[in-house]
Amino acid sequence: MSRLNGPSRRCGLALALTLAQASAYAGQTPSTDSAADLYQISLQDLMSMEVTSVSKREQKMSQVAAAIFVINQDDIRRSAALNIPDLLRMVPGLDVAQINASTWAISARGFNHQFSSKLLVLIDGRTVYTPSQNGVNWDTLDVPLDDIERIEVIRGPGATVWGTNAVNGVINVITKSTTETQGGLVTAGAGTRHPGFGTAQYGGTVADGVTYRTFVKYFDIDSLPAVGGGDGADARHLLHGGFRMDDAIADADSLTLQGDLYSGHEGAIIGHIVSIAPPDNEDIARTATLSGGNVLGRWNHVVSSNFDTTLQIYFDRYVRSGPEMSEACNTFDLDFHQHARIGSHHEVVWGVDYRNAADRTVGTIDQAFDPADARLALYSTFIQDEITLRPEQLRLTLGSKLEHNDFTGFEIEPSVRIAWTPSARETWWASVSDSARTPALRDVNADFNIGAFSLPNGAPVVPTIEGNPRQKSEYLLAEELGYRVEASDWVSLDVAAFFNKYRNLRSLEQGAPRSLTTPVPYTEIPLYHGNKVHGSTEGLEFGAKLRLSDRWTLSPGYAFLRMNLHTDPD
C-alpha cells in the first residue's frame, strides 16, 4: 500500500567528501575567492537574474509577468538536499510529498498525485512527462546536483510556450555549461537511510572552444517503514552515467550534445488480486527494474541580441518492468524556435515542435492497457509578442499555442500578460491564460482491476477502472495578479494571487454491472473515465528573502489554497 508523507525522511547521518575540484566560470581561471563570492550575491543580483522558462528567451526575473521562483546553485549548496524533489520543497506554493522511499507526489496549486497530470517537468528543455501515466517518474530524475545551474519553477499556466499539460505549473531544470565544470570532482557519503552514495566527475577541453564533462553516479537507499510497521520493501538502487559537450563553433554559433544512461531497481508494496473465486487480495512486495537513457543535441545561432535561432533534437527511452506492469517508451522530439526584436517595441518568439512517442506495455491481472501498444504524435506551433508600451516600465505580452494530438485533435492555448515596472526595484504583473490537459493512455486505454470482493450472498465482484476512447481534454482559465519588490538591500518580497476556473475535469462514472465467466463466473462493475467535474481554486502565495549577513539568508514562504470542485448535474 502506498503512503503519502509530507515531511521528507532524509538521512540522519550524512557525510560528503570532496576529494578534488577545479572549476571555471565563462572560461576564466578560478580564484581562491570564488567559493566565497557565491555568498556575496546581493538581492539586486537575484532580482536581475535572467530566466528563460516564461518566454523561451532570456528575461530579467524582476520583469517577468508570472509567478516564478528560481533555485540557484547557492540555494542548492546550502540546502543539503540529496535529490531534486527535496530541493523543490523550498518553493512557495509547490506541494512536495513523499509516498515511499522511491516515489514522490509533486504539484502546484492543487491536484497532487503520484502522477500529477497538470505539472510539466523539463531537464534542459527535454520533457520528462510520460505519455502513459500523464505525470513524472521522479525516481529516475537523478541529475548530479553540482551540475545544476538553476531550477526555474513557474506556478501557473505555461501552455502558450510549452503546450498542453503545462496547466498548473512548469519545472525546468537547467544544467551548467561544461566551461563551468572543468576539473575533477569526487563526492561520497553515507547515512542512516542512505547506506552509500557518490559521484565521480571530470571535465576537460578537447580543442579550442570545445569542452566536455563526464560523470558516473550511484546511490543506495534503504526501505522506509511500512504503514502498519515492519519493512516497507521500497529500497532503491540506481547507477547513472552521462556526458555533455559544448562547442563554441564561432562567435554566432554554439552546439551542445549531451546524454545519459541509467540502470537500477526499486521495491514497492502493492495490492494484488490473488484469486477472484473465492475473492482474495493481498499486499505483496515486488521489485521493479528500471533502465533508460537519452541523447540531446542543441544548436544555437545568435546573430545579435535582437535575433537568435535554436534547434533542439532529442531521443529518450525508458523501460520499467513492474511492479504492476511493464512498459517501454521511445520518444523522439524536434523543437525549433526563433527570437526576433522588431523595431523598438516588439520582441517576438515563435516556434514549431514535433513529438512522436511509441509506448509498449505488458499487463498483469492488476493493471493492463487495451490495446497494449500505442504510438502518439504531437504537432504544435506557437507565437508570442512582448510589446513595449512604455520603455523600461510597461510591457504587454500576447501569445498562443496551437497543438494537434491523437486524442482530442486541435487545442488552442492563448495568454495575455502585462508587467508594470514603476521602478528598478518593483514590478506589478497580471495575466489571463487558457490551457489544456490532454488525455493520457491511462485515460483512454486503462484496464485496471481494483480488487476482488464478495457480495452478501457470497458472489465474487471485481470493480475495474476502464479507459474512455471519447475522453476529452481538461481546461483551465487562470487569472493571476502578482507583486515583486526589492524592499531594501537585504529584503525582497514576492506575492502572487490566483483564481483558476476548471472545466471538463476527469471523473469516474459507474457503468452497468456485467456477468463474466472467464476465468471463473463473477460480476464486474466498471468505472469509466469521464469529464463530469468542474469548479475553481483560489489562493495566495508569498515568498521572501532576508539576507541577514553575507553567509546567512532566511527564505520564509506561505501558500494558501482553497478548492471548490463539483460534479455536473447528471
Side-chain angles (χ1 to χ4, degrees):
M1 299 293 289
S2 64
R3 52 205 185 278
L4 200 62
N5 297 329
S8 169
R9 300 174 181 267
R10 298 182 181 175
C11 62
L13 300 172
L15 301 174
L17 175 63
T18 301
L19 301 181
Q21 181 176 11
S23 62
Y25 179 73
Q28 299 177 5
T29 302
S31 68
T32 55
D33 297 329
S34 60
D37 290 342
L38 291 171
Y39 297 97
Q40 305 297 326
I41 300 174
S42 68
L43 292 183
Q44 186 175 4
D45 293 335
L46 292 174
M47 297 288 284
S48 300
M49 181 182 299
E50 292 186 332
V51 295
T52 59
S53 298
V54 178
S55 299
K56 282 194 176 181
R57 72 173 186 85
E58 293 183 346
Q59 295 175 284
K60 288 184 178 181
M61 191 174 74
S62 61
Q63 299 175 352
V64 168
I68 188 168
F69 187 95
V70 176
I71 303 173
N72 58 38
Q73 182 56 227
D74 189 20
D75 298 324
I76 296 172
R77 183 177 290 104
R78 294 169 184 254
S79 70
L82 298 178
N83 53 59
I84 292 176
D86 278 346
L87 283 176
L88 296 175
R89 295 182 185 278
M90 67 179 70
V91 181
L94 205 64
D95 182 16
V96 179
Q98 188 164 358
I99 298 174
N100 59 27
S102 306
T103 310
W104 287 264
I106 301 176
S107 183
R109 299 180 175 177
F111 301 96
N112 205 2
H113 187 267
Q114 177 182 346
F115 299 106
S116 297
S117 63
K118 298 173 181 60
L119 179 71
L120 185 68
V121 181
L122 308 106
I123 297 180
D124 286 327
R126 173 177 60 88
T127 180
V128 292
Y129 195 90
T130 63
S132 61
Q133 302 289 350
N134 241 348
V136 176
N137 293 312
W138 290 98
D139 50 3
T140 56
L141 301 190
D142 186 38
V143 180
L145 301 190
D146 290 296
D147 291 341
I148 297 176
E149 177 184 315
R150 65 187 186 274
I151 302 176
E152 299 179 5
V153 181
I154 300 174
R155 306 181 309 277
T160 296
V161 170
W162 299 108
T164 55
N165 307 319
V167 178
N168 279 4
V170 177
I171 297 175
N172 193 6
V173 180
I174 300 170
T175 61
K176 297 177 181 177
S177 166
T178 52
T179 59
E180 301 176 71
T181 54
Q182 297 290 283
L185 171 69
V186 177
T187 64
T192 54
R193 290 294 178 195
H194 296 71
F197 59 90
T199 302
Q201 178 172 293
Y202 185 79
T205 301
V206 177
D208 186 26
V210 182
T211 54
Y212 72 91
R213 69 167 172 263
T214 61
F215 75 90
V216 61
K217 182 180 181 182
Y218 174 78
F219 65 80
D220 182 5
I221 299 178
D222 269 348
S223 300
L224 294 178
V227 173
D231 190 342
D234 52 7
R236 180 165 55 118
H237 315 275
L238 196 71
L239 178 64
H240 181 198
F243 76 96
R244 173 166 169 163
M245 182 177 293
D246 292 296
D247 183 1
I249 302 173
D251 292 339
D253 295 279
S254 61
L255 282 175
T256 295
L257 180 66
Q258 63 189 79
D260 299 86
L261 287 173
Y262 65 85
S263 178
H265 59 272
E266 66 186 27
I269 296 178
I270 66 169
H272 171 61
I273 299 177
V274 179
S275 171
I276 295 178
D280 187 12
N281 306 279
E282 182 179 318
D283 290 341
I284 63 172
R286 282 185 175 170
T287 299
T289 301
L290 315 172
S291 63
N294 65 83
V295 61
L296 179 148
R298 182 169 52 249
W299 167 67
N300 187 237
H301 178 68
V302 180
V303 176
S304 67
S305 60
N306 296 330
F307 188 86
D308 59 83
T309 301
T310 300
L311 175 66
Q312 177 178 280
I313 302 173
Y314 72 78
F315 174 79
D316 181 279
R317 173 177 172 83
Y318 68 83
V319 179
R320 302 178 69 91
S321 300
E324 293 178 292
M325 70 176 185
S326 297
E327 178 189 11
C329 183
N330 296 330
T331 301
F332 170 80
D333 186 280
L334 186 150
D335 179 86
F336 171 89
H337 66 268
Q338 196 170 70
H339 157 245
R341 182 173 180 85
I342 302 174
S344 59
H345 294 281
H346 295 272
E347 294 268 5
V348 177
V349 181
W350 72 277
V352 294
D353 182 83
Y354 168 74
R355 184 178 306 153
N356 187 285
D359 197 81
R360 303 189 66 180
T361 63
V362 178
T364 64
I365 190 175
D366 301 308
Q367 287 192 8
F369 285 165
D370 183 18
D373 301 340
R375 182 177 292 274
L376 306 175
L378 180 70
Y379 307 84
S380 68
T381 182
F382 83 96
I383 186 168
Q384 182 169 278
D385 184 11
E386 181 181 298
I387 306 167
T388 301
L389 302 178
R390 182 177 298 174
E392 302 300 326
Q393 286 195 338
L394 192 61
R395 300 171 182 84
L396 174 67
T397 303
L398 306 174
S400 184
K401 185 140 191 165
L402 175 65
E403 287 190 327
H404 183 275
N405 68 83
D406 291 337
F407 294 129
T408 62
F410 285 99
E411 302 289 351
I412 300 176
E413 296 158 301
S415 67
V416 179
R417 299 179 181 274
I418 189 167
W420 176 46
T421 310
S423 70
R425 287 179 174 260
E426 62 178 330
T427 300
W428 291 88
W429 62 270
S431 70
V432 178
S433 308
D434 198 61
S435 56
R437 198 282 292 184
T438 57
L441 289 176
R442 67 176 297 149
D443 299 320
V444 177
N445 298 346
D447 187 6
F448 299 167
N449 291 329
I450 300 174
F453 306 94
S454 294
L455 294 175
N457 62 3
V461 174
V462 176
T464 64
I465 296 178
E466 301 184 8
N468 178 5
R470 294 180 296 278
Q471 185 78 10
K472 302 175 183 178
S473 293
E474 299 179 325
Y475 294 104
L476 164 66
L477 178 63
E479 301 171 1
E480 300 176 273
L481 178 66
Y483 178 65
R484 194 178 291 117
V485 62
E486 178 195 343
S488 69
D489 292 339
W490 58 279
V491 177
S492 69
L493 304 173
D494 194 337
V495 182
F498 62 90
F499 177 78
N500 292 340
K501 188 173 182 179
Y502 298 89
R503 60 193 187 278
N504 282 5
L505 289 177
R506 185 174 61 184
S507 61
L508 280 178
E509 307 300 323
Q510 183 174 329
R514 52 191 178 225
S515 297
L516 302 178
T517 57
T518 303
V520 295
Y522 70 98
T523 300
E524 185 177 78
I525 301 178
L527 300 173
Y528 295 99
H529 284 302
N531 296 90
K532 295 183 178 295
V533 174
H534 64 278
S536 63
T537 63
E538 54 194 45
L540 179 71
E541 298 158 347
F542 167 83
K545 279 190 177 292
L546 311 175
R547 188 171 291 279
L548 302 183
S549 70
D550 291 340
R551 295 180 177 269
W552 187 14
T553 300
L554 297 180
S555 301
Y558 173 78
F560 169 79
L561 171 70
R562 181 164 58 194
M563 304 183 71
N564 304 284
L565 302 182
H566 313 279
T567 56
D568 292 349
D570 59 345

